[in-house]
Amino acid sequence: MSPLSCGPRRCRSRASTGRRALRASRALGGLWRGAGCPTDLPRSAISGGAMLDIQFIRHNADRVRAAIKNKRLELELDDLLAADKERREITTLLEQKRARKNELSALIPKAGKDDRPRLVDEAKQTRSDIEQLEPRLAEVQRRFNDLMLRVPSLPRPEVPIGKGEDDNVEIRRVGTPRTFDFTPRDHVDLMTSLGLIDWDGPRKFAGGRSYALVGDGALLEMAILRLAVDTLIDRGMMLVSPPVLVKERAMMGTGYFPLGVEQAYAVPADELFLVGTSEVPLVSLHCDDTLELAALPIRYAGISPCFRREAGAHGKDTRGIYRVHQFMKVEQVVFCPPDEAVAEKLHYELLGNAEAILAKLEIPYRVAIACTGEIGLGQTRKHEVESWMPGRSAYSETHSCSTLGDFQARRSNIRVRLEDGTLSYPYTLNNTAVASPRILIPLLENHQNADGSVTLPEALVPYMRGKDKLLPR
RNA sequence: GGAGGAGUGGCCGAGCGGUCUAAGGCAGCGGUUUUGAAAACCGCCGUACCGGCAACGGUACCAGGGGUUCGAAUCCCUUCUCCUCCGCCA
C-alpha cells in the first residue's frame, strides 16, 4: 500500500518503518511550504480522496478524458495513469521488504546466539533497502496526488456541452421585466442620489472595487440578508455563522484549491485564507466526520462575508457594485445521501428556496443550466439564476445552484455509514440564497420610480423599520 | 504572547522497547436461555491501500511529522489540538 493512500482518521501516512515516513502525504499542500510550515491537507486528498476514486478513473479513463475536455481543463490523464502504475509497483516492492523486516523482527528475539548476528545483518540490509525505496515512492506519490486533485467530477448527462456563457441553456423565465415610461437609472446613480453608498472614501484607504454602504443602504443590506435567513429557517435550514478565515485544507477540501488559489486572499503569517463563500466552512464543518445516514440530509444556511480577489477580472464590471472584493452572502449547503434521485430533489429544493426569495423581492429572473465549460472542477451540474438588471438591459447572475456529487466529501474526508454498515461519501449541494450588494442592483433598478425614489417590496418593509420607500436626498 | 497539564479503537481506560493484529469495561451486532423482555452466558465487533473473480494474503495506522533502534503506542525532538493559570484584547 502506499502509506499515503490511507484516508480517514486512524490511518496516517506513516510510511514505512513507521517513523521515517514519507513526506508525500504533504505533497499537495505546498502553498506555505516555502516558509517551512506544515500544511494541513485533508488526508483524504491524499489518496482515493481526491475526487474520483482512482479505481474508477482506471476503469473509465475515456469518460474522465471527456470530462476534462468538456470542462476545458488542462490535464493529461495519461500522466496520472502512469504515476498510478508506478506508484503501485513501488508500493508492492516496498511492502514485500517491510513484510520481511517484520518477519525478522519477530525472529531476532527468539534466535540463538549463533543465528542472531546473521539475522540482524539481514534486518539492517532490509531497512536500508526500504530507506531507498521510500523517497522514490514519496516522489511518485507527490506527483500522483497533485494530478488527482486536478481530476474533475463527471458532468451529469443533462449538462449541455459548451465553451462559455453563451452555451448555457435557458430553462425558464419568471416575472416580466418592467417597461419604463421614463429613462431608468442604473444602480450607481440610484445609490448615489439616494445616499445609500460612499464610493470615494473606501477607495482611498481600501483600494479599487471597495465601497461602504451607508444609512439605508446598510440597513437595506441587512434587511435583505435577514429576509433570506428567515425564509431559509422557515424552510428547515439550520443557520450557521461560520469562520471565514480558514486553513488550506478547507479550500482544498471544497475544491477551490489548487486551481483557484489566485482568487483567494491569503494571510501568510498565519497560513490562513479568506473564503470566497461560506460554502467552504459549511462543508468543512464535517470534515473527517462519519455521518449517520439517518442524520441526512443536513441543511445549512450560512451567513458570512465573502472575499474574492477577482484576479484576471481587471477592467471587467468596474462600474458599480456588481463585482467587488468583499460582500455578504447567505448560502445554502446540503449534505445528502449518495443517491442521485435524492440529490436531484434537494438540488431543486435549493433552487426553489432561492426563487422564493427573489419572489419576495419582486425581481424578475430566469434560470439557466450552465454548460460544461462553465461549471467548476467539482460540479456535476449547475443552474444559474440571473436577475433582470434594467441598467444593463440584461439578465445577470445573482445565484448559482450546484450539485457536487461526492467530490467535496472525498476531498474533505466526510463519510456516511449506510444501512448495511458500509461507508460511503455523502453528496453535497449548494446554492446562493442572496448575495449583497449585487442583489441591490436588480432590487433598486427594478423598483425605481420616475422621481428617483425606490419603492421597497412589501416583504422588506418590516426589516426596514417600517420604511416602504427610499427617497432621494 | 508566557507558564503548566493532557491527547490510545464509537466511548471510558490499561499499556511505557520485542509475543500490541492494544488488556478490561461500556455501547453495538449475532446466538443460547426465556411465554416475551430483562439478566446471565457464548461469539462477533476499526479504517485505508495493494494483490486476487473470490476465499484470502500483505502493508500501514495508538493526535501530525521527524529521529534513535534489528525492532517503538512505548525513548528523543518538533508541530497541532484541547484544558488550567497569567498577560493582552473586540
Side-chain angles (χ1 to χ4, degrees):
Chain A
M1 81 154 270
S2 106
L4 315 165
S5 40
C6 29
R9 28 202 66 182
R10 306 206 49 214
C11 174
R12 234 29 4 114
S13 46
R14 260 247 313 249
S16 102
T17 53
R19 277 54 199 314
R20 55 206 81 221
L22 311 183
R23 305 225 69 243
S25 59
R26 314 259 103 192
L28 311 163
L31 291 176
W32 303 118
R33 178 74 26 67
C37 301
T39 63
D40 190 8
L41 245 232
R43 340 228 221 238
S44 55
I46 285 151
S47 66
M51 96 112 249
L52 296 173
D53 189 353
I54 182 61
Q55 309 221 28
F56 175 89
I57 297 172
R58 283 204 286 265
H59 295 125
N60 298 274
D62 289 342
R63 290 176 66 190
V64 177
R65 277 194 198 92
I68 292 169
K69 176 164 173 276
N70 292 336
K71 283 192 172 183
R72 302 172 64 77
L73 297 165
E74 286 177 25
L75 175 68
E76 282 303 328
L77 193 63
D78 287 334
D79 293 348
L80 175 68
L81 294 174
D84 175 46
K85 184 158 176 275
E86 200 180 337
R87 160 188 153 260
R88 283 182 295 153
E89 284 166 0
I90 300 177
T91 297
T92 305
L93 209 61
L94 190 54
E95 288 185 355
Q96 285 166 357
K97 291 288 180 190
R98 293 212 267 246
R100 180 59 181 159
K101 187 204 73 173
N102 289 343
E103 214 176 336
L104 289 167
S105 301
L107 287 172
I108 287 171
K110 294 180 204 153
K113 289 264 189 309
D114 299 342
D115 293 335
R116 203 173 170 114
R118 204 193 74 236
L119 293 174
V120 170
D121 278 353
E122 191 189 341
K124 282 184 175 169
Q125 181 56 48
T126 305
R127 187 176 78 182
S128 117
D129 291 347
I130 290 170
E131 282 170 350
Q132 282 194 330
L133 287 169
E134 282 174 346
R136 286 180 54 199
L137 180 60
E139 186 280 318
V140 180
Q141 190 72 42
R142 186 177 308 122
R143 198 152 27 95
F144 174 78
N145 290 339
D146 179 66
L147 292 166
M148 277 299 275
L149 285 174
R150 295 161 193 274
V151 177
S153 59
L154 306 184
R156 293 172 53 94
E158 72 266 31
V159 176
I161 292 174
K163 292 181 178 171
E165 258 183 276
D166 298 342
D167 299 314
N168 294 351
V169 177
E170 181 178 310
I171 291 178
R172 64 173 182 275
R173 296 189 179 203
V174 178
T176 312
R178 242 174 99 183
T179 38
F180 292 93
D181 51 12
F182 59 94
T183 308
R185 306 169 190 222
D186 79 355
H187 75 278
V188 176
D189 290 347
L190 286 168
M191 293 185 82
T192 305
S193 63
L194 294 169
L196 305 180
I197 196 164
D198 181 347
W199 301 103
D200 301 332
R203 291 191 176 167
K204 286 182 286 184
F205 67 86
R209 296 192 190 280
S210 64
Y211 62 95
L213 296 177
V214 169
D216 283 341
L219 191 60
L220 186 57
E221 173 171 87
M222 293 182 74
I224 293 169
L225 295 173
R226 190 57 208 272
L227 172 66
V229 163
D230 283 352
T231 304
L232 296 183
I233 290 174
D234 285 343
R235 289 171 176 240
M237 309 194 84
M238 170 71 75
L239 183 63
V240 181
S241 174
V244 294
L245 202 50
V246 304
K247 295 184 184 185
E248 183 185 11
R249 69 165 298 190
M251 302 299 282
M252 206 62 87
T254 45
Y256 283 91
F257 283 8
L259 300 187
V261 211
E262 72 287 349
Q263 287 302 335
Y265 285 100
V267 184
D270 295 294
E271 302 161 44
L272 296 170
F273 296 89
L274 284 166
V275 302
T277 165
S278 61
E279 170 197 342
V280 173
L282 292 190
V283 169
S284 300
L285 229 39
H286 290 294
C287 65
D288 297 335
D289 283 355
T290 297
L291 305 171
E292 289 307 321
L293 190 63
L296 302 181
I298 296 172
R299 294 176 173 84
Y300 286 136
I303 180 165
S304 81
C306 304
F307 304 88
R308 299 187 183 179
R309 293 187 64 226
E310 299 298 348
H314 304 298
K316 198 176 174 188
D317 305 316
T318 47
R319 180 172 168 81
I321 49 167
Y322 185 80
R323 189 179 297 275
V324 294
H325 290 307
Q326 180 183 341
F327 57 96
M328 291 296 296
K329 184 151 67 88
V330 177
E331 176 80 2
Q332 315 175 64
V333 166
V334 169
F335 293 88
C336 87
D339 180 314
E340 293 293 342
V342 178
E344 175 114 1
K345 188 166 159 280
L346 285 161
H347 180 90
Y348 289 104
E349 176 183 317
L350 297 190
L351 193 55
N353 291 346
E355 293 190 55
I357 292 165
L358 279 180
K360 289 183 186 182
L361 296 176
E362 300 171 34
I363 294 172
Y365 62 91
R366 67 174 186 180
V367 179
I369 181 162
C371 72
T372 53
E374 287 283 299
I375 66 179
L377 188 69
Q379 295 161 351
T380 65
R381 165 182 50 204
K382 178 169 84 170
H383 284 93
E384 290 186 349
V385 176
E386 300 173 350
S387 298
W388 177 251
M389 300 189 186
R392 298 177 154 228
S393 292
Y395 286 100
S396 293
E397 182 179 347
T398 48
H399 299 68
S400 143
C401 187
S402 309
T403 298
L404 287 284
D406 62 7
F407 181 90
Q408 293 181 320
R410 282 181 177 278
R411 291 181 166 232
S412 300
N413 191 29
I414 301 167
R415 295 180 300 167
V416 59
R417 193 177 297 280
L418 303 178
E419 295 99 329
D420 61 3
T422 59
L423 292 169
S424 184
Y425 295 97
Y427 287 4
T428 56
L429 304 96
N430 65 75
N431 185 12
T432 321
V434 77
S436 167
R438 187 176 283 187
I439 197 65
L440 299 179
I441 300 172
L443 184 83
L444 297 169
E445 290 181 356
N446 281 299
H447 296 300
Q448 62 181 298
N449 305 310
D451 63 0
S453 66
V454 167
T455 304
L456 294 172
E458 207 179 312
L460 283 178
V461 175
Y463 297 106
M464 288 298 290
R465 304 165 62 84
K467 187 174 283 194
D468 58 4
K469 202 173 203 185
L470 303 176
L471 301 170
R473 293 200 283 192

